[in-house]
Amino acid sequence: MAVASDKTTWTIALVGNPNTGKSTLFGALSGVAQKVGNYPGVTVEKKVGEVVHDGRRWLLVDLPGTYSLAPRSPDEMVTVDVLLGRQSDVAPPDVVVCVASAGNLSRNLYLVGQALELGRPVVVALTMNDLAEAEGTKVDAEGLSRSLGVPVVPIQARRGEGLEALKDAVESAGAAPPPTVPQVFPEPFRNEVDRLADVLNGRQLPRYLIERLLLDVGAHIEDRIGLAEPDRLQLRARIDEARKRLAEVGCKTPDVETTARYAWIARATEGVVTHAGETGSRFADRLDSVLTHKLWGSLILAAVMLLTFSAVFSWATVPMDWIDAGFEALGGLVEGALPEGPVRDLLVGGIIGGVGAVVIFLPQILILIGLLTILEECGYLARAAYLMDRIMVRVGLSGRSFIPLLSSFACAIPGVMATRVIENRRDRLTTILIAPLMSCSARLPVYTLMIGAFIPARAYLGGWLQLQGLTLLAMYLVGVVVAALAALILKRTFLRSATPVFLMEMPAYQWPSPIVVVRRMLDRGWDFLYNAGTIIFAVSVVMWGLLYYPRLSHEDLAPMVADRERAEARLEAAKAANDDAAAADAEDAVAAAENHIAGAQQRQSLLGRAGRLIEPLVKPLGWDWRIGSAALASFPAREVVVSTLGVIFDVGEDVEDEGEGRLSQALQSATWPDSGKPLFTIPVALSVMVFFALCAQCVSTLAVIWRETGSWTWPALSFAYMTALAYVGAFLTYQIGTWLGA
């Protein structure tokens, strides 16, 4: 391979096991100069950053985390293709940076050994040295470098330590000849690879892939090289013959790889790794014995989740009040500056009211994402996955499915994409179909609006637990429980398969990095604001138009205007006579007349007509046409329901009482037009929340399901069964709640 020193731009590939700090290193090196997309032809995420070092530009490619370069999934195949220079949109790597954890060096070197066999310059970034030393393990980086024949650089990416040394090592490695490829496999195996290479010389396959053909018992590589069926049958016969010859000399495949690589690792680490003491390790083991205990671990998990959701309400109150007051002041300025008419109504009620009704929930989303990131960074969520494996097994899945489901609590889209790590297609499809049932951050505005407006703010245990937090936790549990039942049914019917075995590495306990936590919060917060500024803004304007037009004719409006004028005249007369009681009655009459006019205009509108058309269908849920219209409008994205309610209930007007949000107060004041009874009650609020906890109101998620499965059958099934579940769940919630007299 040619030396890359004469190139002005290098491609640097980052590869490593999960939980080794690879993504943290990528963020520390590239900062904000990152681009995220997909590799062509697959939905595997591609993350590319830029680094400038000594006047040279680097394109830093963060490859999916993997334990080996034996491709059995789309993620692993993309990693191998990039490292071999077979990915069309990524230049062949000039240097490969292998990220290895000092605490699990032997297992991490398995991947390093495979990377060395690719024949490209390699640099090993040794992470988590402090955690390894706390557990009594010390790695001699210089000795390991001599043993491997490549640079080994200890780093602490969270603190920025060792990054300049790593950059210098990458620069030196790219300018030097590639390292010598280690001879890991025994001679009989290498001879069979040579024979197979002679047969396939017309295919121009890298030697590494030819080795994998012999080792790959699942025929994944055969599927990728694109042979015609007769040629494939002939190749399959030659591979079978080669494996038989190897078995006769004691080199049974694929066991020969594990044996050979760990023997090479043992030689490479001899005299390099020392184990002085085990104080830290014993402490971690004691902590694990509690956090992963069947009873105590489950109780701790429940308590952690409950405190997390309680904090979402208690910590966000003040910043939410600031945001609400800001939008109210902005609406007041616009309202005072413009004459009455459709333009003012659009700006105040449609745009400011609709977008503001959603943006107010930004503090709660930031708090939730921040707390979940802290739990993930300190290593606790991996323990939660272990605990959940016991439950997942009962529904036919494993803890491997828990990771995508956990990602879905932030957003179902990366959760669905994360199912690529699941090798069994039926398990992967099952996980994809239940992932949207996890309550993503888009549902949080719906929950917090209804809980804040209708669930009493009662506190227990000296203020540590709140009824509102309990209700929020219950909404999340609704999705979890229903997802478990759905998985059980799917795995026992048309997606039947054996329950997979779950193997997972427990990451070391460590203090969360404030930089990582803040960056994750800012990323999710920006995504939320971007949606509020684009999708929600557009939908708010469209919903305002559908709710505003067509207007009532002057003939239809005249009797109602006359009633309002008579009430206003009564009010003026009462004020002139200083009759406070009569003035109060007259004010109520004026408000009733104005509400009557507004309600008639809304019912006349296109959205009102659509809502009234489906009102018989949603009335058993405790909803009227306004709630039904908001549900219809929320199909592009669930959080749009809040902005649509803001438009429908006209939060641009001054309806605020001190200490309460404008939309919350408007919902509390809403009544049924025919009876005057409150529209929203606790059963109705719970019904709305349960509906949105279970519904499939997210067209982006359905599109990603289609891309991941390659068929519209699965997103159609997801939409159909989730909508049916949402309706039944909302119906039972309202009817039972009303029967209990909630």
Side-chain angles (χ1 to χ4, degrees):
M1 185 179 302
V3 177
S5 59
D6 57 338
K7 296 171 61 176
T8 58
T9 300
W10 285 2
T11 299
I12 311 297
L14 257 64
V15 65
N17 292 180
N19 301 317
T20 56
K22 178 173 62 67
S23 296
T24 303
L25 174 59
F26 175 78
L29 290 174
S30 60
V32 296
Q34 303 176 12
K35 295 181 181 179
V36 179
N38 285 341
Y39 290 96
V42 292
T43 53
V44 177
E45 185 178 80
K46 175 176 66 176
K47 191 180 294 184
V48 179
E50 291 189 10
V51 181
V52 177
H53 181 65
D54 287 348
R56 196 191 306 275
R57 178 172 171 262
W58 296 353
L59 289 180
L60 198 63
V61 182
D62 185 19
L63 295 173
T66 180
Y67 287 104
S68 78
L69 298 181
R72 292 183 298 270
S73 69
D75 275 28
E76 294 171 345
M77 196 67 238
V78 163
T79 298
V80 172
D81 282 343
V82 170
L83 294 178
L84 289 173
R86 293 165 54 88
Q87 192 69 40
S88 60
D89 62 329
V90 179
D94 297 292
V95 180
V96 178
V97 177
C98 291
V99 183
S101 169
N104 293 296
L105 188 60
S106 293
R107 202 216 39 247
N108 282 216
L109 286 179
Y110 193 98
L111 180 64
V112 172
Q114 291 176 322
L116 287 170
E117 292 180 7
L118 301 178
R120 300 190 182 278
V122 172
V123 174
V124 177
L126 195 63
T127 63
M128 303 184 183
N129 296 278
D130 54 340
L131 298 178
E133 291 181 5
E135 295 181 358
T137 299
K138 188 173 182 179
V139 178
D140 178 5
E142 293 183 0
L144 182 61
S145 176
R146 290 191 298 269
S147 180
L148 297 179
V150 298
V152 177
V153 183
I155 64 168
Q156 291 290 334
R158 296 172 182 271
R159 304 172 185 170
E161 298 176 4
L163 297 185
E164 290 303 318
L166 179 63
K167 292 178 183 178
D168 292 339
V170 170
E171 187 78 21
S172 299
T180 303
V181 176
Q183 297 296 327
V184 174
F185 292 100
E187 185 176 356
F189 183 86
R190 299 198 300 271
N191 293 337
E192 292 296 342
V193 172
D194 292 338
R195 291 182 184 177
L196 204 55
D198 292 337
V199 174
L200 293 168
N201 61 355
R203 307 294 302 181
Q204 296 183 341
L205 285 180
R207 183 178 178 86
Y208 182 81
L209 288 185
I210 299 175
E211 289 180 355
R212 299 252 57 94
L213 280 171
L214 276 178
L215 297 169
D216 180 19
V217 295
H220 300 282
I221 303 300
E222 292 179 34
D223 295 337
R224 293 281 300 185
I225 61 178
L227 291 175
E229 191 60 26
D231 294 334
R232 181 170 178 171
L233 292 176
Q234 183 180 8
L235 176 63
R236 165 57 54 188
R238 290 184 177 273
I239 291 174
D240 289 341
E241 292 172 1
R243 288 175 176 168
K244 289 179 181 178
R245 289 192 294 269
L246 288 172
E248 291 173 356
V249 295
C251 292
K252 185 178 180 181
T253 57
D255 299 344
V256 63
E257 180 175 28
T258 304
T259 304
R261 291 203 185 281
Y262 277 109
W264 172 79
I265 291 170
R267 294 192 299 271
T269 57
E270 186 176 0
V272 170
V273 181
T274 57
H275 302 278
E278 309 222 355
T279 304
S281 179
R282 288 199 301 270
F283 173 76
D285 291 341
R286 289 197 298 269
L287 193 55
D288 276 341
S289 67
V290 176
L291 294 181
T292 61
H293 189 271
K294 185 175 182 179
L295 174 60
W296 303 117
S298 300
L299 292 176
I300 292 172
L301 175 61
V304 167
M305 292 295 103
L306 181 56
L307 291 175
T308 297
F309 294 127
S310 295
V312 168
F313 279 94
S314 59
W315 296 357
T317 302
V318 173
M320 288 180 70
D321 289 342
W322 292 343
I323 295 173
D324 189 47
F327 274 95
E328 183 190 8
L330 179 61
L333 289 174
V334 174
E335 188 175 8
L338 296 175
E340 185 177 356
V343 175
R344 188 181 79 173
D345 197 271
L346 169 62
L347 293 175
V348 177
I351 297 176
I352 297 175
V355 175
V358 178
V359 174
I360 190 175
F361 299 103
L362 177 63
Q364 292 175 319
I365 290 176
L366 291 177
I367 290 171
L368 179 61
I369 297 300
L371 292 175
L372 290 179
T373 302
I374 290 172
L375 294 175
E376 179 183 2
E377 286 291 303
C378 72
Y380 178 72
L381 286 188
R383 276 76 186 176
Y386 173 78
L387 282 171
M388 292 301 297
D389 179 61
R390 298 166 180 165
I391 299 176
M392 304 294 288
V393 166
R394 297 180 183 274
V395 299
L397 296 174
S398 74
R400 187 176 295 276
S401 294
F402 177 72
I403 304 302
L405 296 179
L406 187 64
S407 301
S408 299
F409 280 108
C411 178
I413 292 174
V416 170
M417 295 174 63
T419 61
R420 294 188 301 258
V421 302
I422 303 174
E423 297 176 10
N424 185 286
R425 176 171 171 78
R426 291 174 180 263
D427 293 337
R428 184 170 181 245
L429 286 173
T430 302
T431 308
I432 287 174
L433 290 175
I434 66 173
L437 287 169
M438 303 298 106
S439 283
C440 62
S441 58
R443 292 176 168 109
L444 188 59
V446 184
Y447 296 160
T448 53
L449 172 65
M450 293 295 159
I451 292 173
F454 302 105
I455 303 300
R458 297 173 183 168
Y460 309 98
L461 300 178
W464 283 94
L465 297 182
Q466 297 184 356
L467 180 59
Q468 293 180 330
L470 285 169
T471 307
L472 181 61
L473 176 60
M475 289 302 107
Y476 278 78
L477 290 178
V478 164
V480 172
V481 172
V482 172
L485 294 175
L488 182 63
I489 294 172
L490 290 170
K491 288 288 291 181
R492 292 190 176 182
T493 53
F494 58 92
L495 290 178
R496 181 189 298 271
S497 64
T499 301
V501 177
F502 176 52
L503 297 175
M504 180 182 180
E505 173 199 357
M506 289 296 181
Y509 292 105
Q510 57 185 333
W511 289 106
S513 167
I515 296 176
V516 173
V517 175
V518 171
R519 182 177 293 158
R520 191 82 57 85
M521 293 171 64
L522 292 178
D523 287 344
R524 293 300 304 160
W526 171 248
D527 288 344
F528 181 74
L529 289 177
Y530 180 80
N531 287 332
T534 54
I535 297 174
I536 297 173
F537 171 83
V539 172
S540 295
V541 173
V542 171
M543 289 304 106
W544 173 87
L546 294 176
L547 191 66
Y548 194 83
Y549 295 105
R551 308 296 285 172
L552 287 170
S553 65
H554 290 292
E555 292 78 9
D556 294 333
L557 199 58
M560 291 178 280
V561 172
D563 289 340
R564 184 183 65 183
E565 290 175 348
R566 284 193 292 270
E568 289 173 344
R570 286 172 49 200
L571 178 60
E572 292 298 327
K575 288 181 177 180
N578 291 323
D579 188 342
D580 293 338
D585 291 340
E587 286 180 351
D588 291 341
V590 171
E594 291 178 343
N595 289 337
H596 184 53
I597 294 173
Q601 294 281 24
Q602 289 180 347
R603 286 190 294 273
Q604 170 71 10
S605 68
L606 293 173
L607 185 60
R609 293 175 184 179
R612 284 186 287 124
L613 182 65
I614 67 167
E615 189 172 50
L617 183 64
V618 300
K619 201 165 186 177
L621 312 182
W623 304 1
D624 73 342
W625 69 269
R626 291 170 288 185
I627 305 176
S629 299
L632 283 178
S634 67
F635 174 71
R638 297 179 183 94
E639 62 268 38
V640 169
V641 68
V642 177
S643 63
T644 305
L645 288 173
V647 174
I648 292 176
F649 288 94
D650 200 11
V651 296
E653 298 294 333
D654 185 13
V655 295
E656 183 181 15
D657 284 349
E658 184 177 357
E660 294 192 57
R662 291 169 292 146
L663 181 54
S664 296
Q665 178 64 18
L667 298 183
Q668 292 167 353
S669 304
T671 59
W672 287 93
D674 51 353
S675 65
K677 294 181 179 180
L679 171 61
F680 282 92
T681 61
I682 291 179
V684 172
L686 292 174
S687 171
V688 172
M689 287 189 285
V690 169
F691 181 86
F692 280 95
L694 302 177
C695 70
Q697 303 292 90
C698 184
V699 69
S700 299
T701 298
L702 297 177
V704 169
I705 293 176
W706 166 69
R707 290 173 57 193
E708 289 288 331
T709 61
S711 170
W712 280 110
T713 301
W714 303 108
L717 174 62
S718 180
F719 179 80
Y721 98 86
M722 288 181 66
T723 303
L725 280 176
Y727 186 88
V728 172
F731 173 81
L732 293 176
T733 300
Y734 172 71
Q735 296 295 339
I736 294 174
T738 303
W739 178 68
L740 293 174

